[in-house]
Amino acid sequence: MIDSCSQESNPLLSIDAALAKIKAAIHPVAGSEQVVLKNALGRVLSESVYSPINIPHERNAAMDGYALSSNDINREQPFTHSLAGTSWAGRPFPGQLQSGQCIRVFTGAALPAQADSVIMQEQVRADGQAIHFPANTPAQQNLREIGEDIAQGSLLCAHPKKLNAIDLGLLASAGIYELSVKRSVKIAFFSTGDELIALGQPLETGKIYDSNRYTLSGLLADASHSVTDMGVIADNKQLLEDSFIEAAKHHDVIITTGGASVGEADYVKEILVRCGEVNFWKIAIKPGKPLAFGKIGSCYFFGLPGNPVSVIVTFQHIVAPALKQLSGAPDAKPLRLTATCTTALKKAPGRQEFQRGILTQDDNGEFFVASSGRQGSNILSSISRANCYIVLPIECKSVQAGDKVSVEPIINDNQMII
Ligand code: AMP
Ligand code: MG
C-alpha cells in the first residue's frame, strides 16, 4: 500500500491484515466465576443456560374475559353459562369447572384443566351470575399454552453470549438466580508524555491536560473488564520499563497512549522490544497510523498513538475487537450503512480513513451524512459532535457532495444494535 500523503518507505498494513494478526495472537481468558443474575449484565456466559421449567409453566389467560370448556361452546347460537368464580393472576380459581359453567379470568391467570377457551370480556354480557355468550363464539382462543415460549430443558442463552438487559429478563423468567460467566479481563492503562498535566492543576506553558486517560476510561467501561487507571508516566525509559513490567504481572492487557511513533521521545517500541515481544505496525488508517502490539510475559500490550482522535479510532477499530475476543465474547463486525454525503470530503489514496460525520435520516428513510468539522487527529471537538464515521476505502480519492459513502454509526452503549 503506498500512502501518497506520507513518505513511508515500507508498505502500510491494512486494517484487516492487522485485525487478522491480532485475532491469531489472542487467546480468550481462561477461567469463570459464579455471579448472581443481577450482576450478570454485560458479562460473557461461560456455559449455555437451559430452562429448568416450562414457560409458561401453567396454561393461563392471554386477556381479560371469561374462560370455559370448548366442549361447552354452542357454535350456532347464543348461549348462557353460570359464573362459578374468578381466577386472578396470582390467585387461581381453586375448583373444577362443571359443564354449563364459566369463570371470570384476568390476563396471566392460571386456568382450571377443563377451561381451554377464553372469550374477551367485550364479547360477553354479564347479568349477575348469568354470562351471555354470542353466536359464533370461538373455541381455544386467547390462551397461553404451557411451554409455548420456552420448553423445559431447552436453550435459554447460548455460551458465549454477552448478556444484555433482555437476556436478564429471559433468565429471570426461568428462575435462574446464579450463573457461570467468564472471568473479567484485567486491563491497565497509562498516558505517556512529559507535556501532560493532571486535571485540577493550572495549565503551564508547553503543557496540556491529559485527555486520553479520560477517553480511555470511558471507552473501557464494560462489565467484562476490570480496569486499572495507572496515571501518567513521563517520557523516561526506566520509569516506563518499570511501570510496564509491574503492570504486566497483574493484568491481561496494558494499553498506553503516546510515545508510539518515531520521535526522539517515543520510547514505547524500544522498551517493548527490551522487555517483551513487539509487532510495530504502521496501519493504513487515518487517523491512527502507528500502533505497537505485543506481549510482556503473558500480558498483551497495545501502544496507541498520542493524538486524541487517533486513540479513539484505533481503540474502537483495533483494541475493542481484541478485548472482545479476549473476554470470550462472539465477534461482531461494526454495522455499516450507505448514505449520501452532503459535503465534499478531502482524501488522498493510500489509507482507509475514518472521517467524522453527522448521520441523519429523512422522512423517506434515506440516510444522509455531513462532515462534522475539521478532521485533524488532534481535533476532539469534531468527534464529540459526530455520531458516525464516514469510512473511505484505501484507494478512494476525495468525495464530492452527492456521492454515496459507507457510514459506521458510533453506537452508544445503551443501544441494542449488535
Ligand atoms: P506522541 O505520540 O507522544 O508524539 O503524541 C502525539 C500528540 O498527542 C502530541 O501532540 C501529544 O501532546 C498528544 N498527546 C499525547 N498524549 C496525550 C494525552 N494523554 N492527552 C492529550 N494529548 C496527548
Ligand atoms: Mg509523547
Side-chain angles (χ1 to χ4, degrees), residues 96-117:
Q96 300 277 319
L97 202 55
Q98 309 297 330
S99 178
Q101 289 184 330
C102 63
I103 53 167
R104 181 82 171 107
V105 292
F106 297 99
T107 305
L111 298 173
Q114 306 77 15
D116 62 355
S117 295

Side-chain angles (χ1 to χ4, degrees), residues 192-195 235 257-260 265-266 306:
T192 73
D194 287 340
E195 74 278 35
D235 292 316
T257 65
D266 293 332

Side-chain angles (χ1 to χ4, degrees), residues 300-341:
Y300 297 99
F301 187 99
F302 291 90
L304 305 187
N307 275 306
V309 182
S310 307
V311 171
I312 300 166
V313 169
T314 51
F315 181 90
Q316 291 181 321
H317 293 92
I318 295 173
V319 182
L323 295 179
K324 195 169 227 180
Q325 187 181 346
L326 206 50
S327 74
D331 199 16
K333 283 213 173 271
L335 177 73
R336 287 200 184 156
L337 314 167
T338 300
T340 304
C341 196

Side-chain angles (χ1 to χ4, degrees), residues 142-399:
N142 306 321
L143 299 173
R144 295 167 176 171
E145 294 293 351
I146 290 173
E148 73 171 23
D149 183 0
I150 305 281
Q152 184 174 22
S154 68
L155 184 66
L156 285 170
C157 285
H159 148 82
K161 188 164 198 199
K162 189 174 173 79
L163 297 172
N164 63 33
I166 295 164
D167 299 323
L168 297 197
L170 178 69
L171 293 165
S173 74
I176 304 292
Y177 173 72
E178 245 191 355
L179 64 178
S180 174
V181 295
K182 299 282 280 181
R183 81 154 170 84
S184 46
V185 180
K186 290 177 268 176
I187 305 166
F189 66 106
F190 302 89
S191 288
T192 73
D194 287 340
E195 74 278 35
L196 303 178
I197 56 168
L199 299 189
Q201 305 295 312
L203 207 50
E204 296 161 25
T205 315
K207 304 282 185 185
I208 60 169
Y209 287 119
D210 170 17
S211 65
N212 287 346
R213 232 158 17 96
Y214 288 84
T215 311
L216 273 185
S217 71
L219 289 170
L220 285 167
D222 186 300
S224 51
H225 300 162
S226 154
V227 177
T228 320
D229 180 345
M230 308 287 284
V232 177
I233 309 176
D235 292 316
N236 173 304
K237 287 188 198 177
Q238 196 57 52
L239 271 179
L240 286 165
E241 183 170 343
D242 294 347
S243 311
F244 291 176
I245 290 172
E246 191 51 31
K249 288 184 195 154
H250 310 289
H251 296 89
D252 302 303
V253 183
I254 296 174
I255 303 171
T256 64
T257 65
S261 44
V262 287
E264 287 290 299
D266 293 332
Y267 301 135
V268 169
K269 178 190 168 195
E270 183 185 328
I271 290 162
L272 206 53
V273 169
R274 243 196 347 249
C275 61
E277 311 152 30
V278 63
N279 282 301
F280 182 70
W281 297 329
K282 293 194 172 170
I283 301 178
I285 59 171
K286 189 176 174 182
K289 188 166 56 171
L291 180 102
F293 170 61
K295 256 185 142 179
I296 302 175
S298 59
C299 177
Y300 297 99
F301 187 99
F302 291 90
L304 305 187
N307 275 306
V309 182
S310 307
V311 171
I312 300 166
V313 169
T314 51
F315 181 90
Q316 291 181 321
H317 293 92
I318 295 173
V319 182
L323 295 179
K324 195 169 227 180
Q325 187 181 346
L326 206 50
S327 74
D331 199 16
K333 283 213 173 271
L335 177 73
R336 287 200 184 156
L337 314 167
T338 300
T340 304
C341 196
T342 58
T343 44
L345 307 174
K346 268 175 60 182
K347 168 157 189 326
R351 288 200 264 167
Q352 174 169 324
E353 293 198 10
F354 293 92
Q355 297 208 7
R356 292 142 248 175
I358 298 174
L359 177 67
T360 51
Q361 192 173 21
D362 72 5
D363 292 343
N364 300 320
E366 296 263 334
F367 292 111
F368 294 89
V369 68
S371 167
S372 70
R374 295 169 68 95
Q375 297 288 324
S377 58
N378 58 325
I379 307 286
L380 266 175
S381 58
S382 63
I383 196 159
S384 166
R385 266 194 301 276
N387 63 1
C388 70
Y389 292 113
I390 306 168
V391 186
L392 303 175
I394 291 184
E395 65 284 0
C396 159
K397 296 188 188 136
S398 291
V399 168

